[in-house]
Amino acid sequence: MEKAIKRAIKMRFQTKIAHGDHTESYEFTTRGELYHKGNNDYLRFEESLSETDTVQTTMKWNGRELMLIRQGVILMRQAFVSGEKTVGRYVTPEASWETTATTDKVFVQWPSGKQKGSIQLSYQFALQGQDTGVHQVRLTLEEDTTK
C-alpha cells in the first residue's frame, strides 16, 4: 500500500448564500493538508466555529463527486455532483436533519508548482425540506512553503 504524500496548503474559504432578496457572506483563511490516497484526492482543514468549538473538515474528490465530511461539534456528510440532487445529513448535539443539495457546478483544480488551485461549488441547499438558498463556495488553495 502506497503512503499518501501530504502537502501543506494555505487556503481562503469564501461562501455566499443568496436566499430571496437577502445575501449572507463569510470567509476565513486557514491551513490544511492535501493528499492523494487510492483513486481520491483529499483536502483536510480545521474550521473554528467559536472560541471553543472546532470542526475537522475533509473534502474528498474522485473526479466526479466532491464529498464534504465535517466532524466535531457539527457532523455533516454531503455529496456534490454537477447536475444532480444528492441527499446528506447535518447533525448537531440537539438534532439531526436530512439535507439535499442540487448542484449546479463543481470545479476542482489542485495547486501544482507555482500555480494556485481552487474549488468552486454552486448549489441549491435544503435542510429538512426547507430551502436555505443558493450557496456559492470558493476555496483558493496554494502550497504552503513556510514550513
Side-chain angles (χ1 to χ4, degrees):
M1 169 130 184
E2 66 183 83
K3 183 163 171 35
I5 297 169
K6 296 183 179 181
R7 297 190 294 160
I9 296 290
K10 290 189 288 192
M11 59 180 276
R12 183 170 159 205
F13 188 104
Q14 301 167 285
T15 299
K16 186 162 53 173
I17 303 168
H19 192 258
D21 57 1
H22 178 73
T23 301
E24 263 182 78
S25 297
Y26 68 91
E27 71 174 75
F28 63 88
T29 55
T30 189
R31 287 180 153 68
E33 57 187 23
L34 179 63
Y35 60 97
H36 183 84
K37 187 173 167 188
N39 294 324
N40 300 300
D41 290 304
Y42 295 85
L43 173 66
R44 291 183 63 137
F45 59 93
E46 191 170 271
E47 271 179 87
S48 290
L49 303 179
S50 69
E51 297 270 329
T52 56
D53 296 330
T54 61
V55 173
Q56 182 69 41
T57 300
T58 303
M59 293 180 142
K60 175 182 164 189
W61 173 246
N62 68 10
R64 180 177 171 271
E65 175 187 270
L66 184 67
M67 176 64 76
L68 173 67
I69 303 160
R70 298 170 82 198
Q71 297 173 290
V73 67
I74 293 170
L75 299 174
M76 183 178 180
R77 237 184 130 73
Q78 182 70 54
F80 300 95
V81 180
S82 285
E84 291 187 19
K85 181 177 185 175
T86 53
V87 177
R89 176 105 357 237
Y90 185 89
V91 180
T92 68
E94 293 80 32
S96 174
W97 296 281
E98 181 181 272
T99 58
T100 56
T102 304
T103 306
D104 179 43
K105 175 172 102 173
V106 177
F107 174 81
V108 177
Q109 179 184 26
W110 300 122
S112 62
K114 296 198 181 311
Q115 293 184 331
K116 289 185 179 181
S118 70
I119 297 174
Q120 295 172 44
L121 268 175
S122 178
Y123 57 95
Q124 185 80 34
F125 195 67
L127 191 63
Q128 204 62 30
Q130 295 296 309
D131 179 27
T132 66
V134 175
H135 295 238
Q136 293 184 6
V137 178
R138 181 184 188 101
L139 283 75
T140 306
L141 312 168
E142 120 180 62
E143 223 163 318
D144 186 354
T145 55
T146 59
K147 289 201 164 196

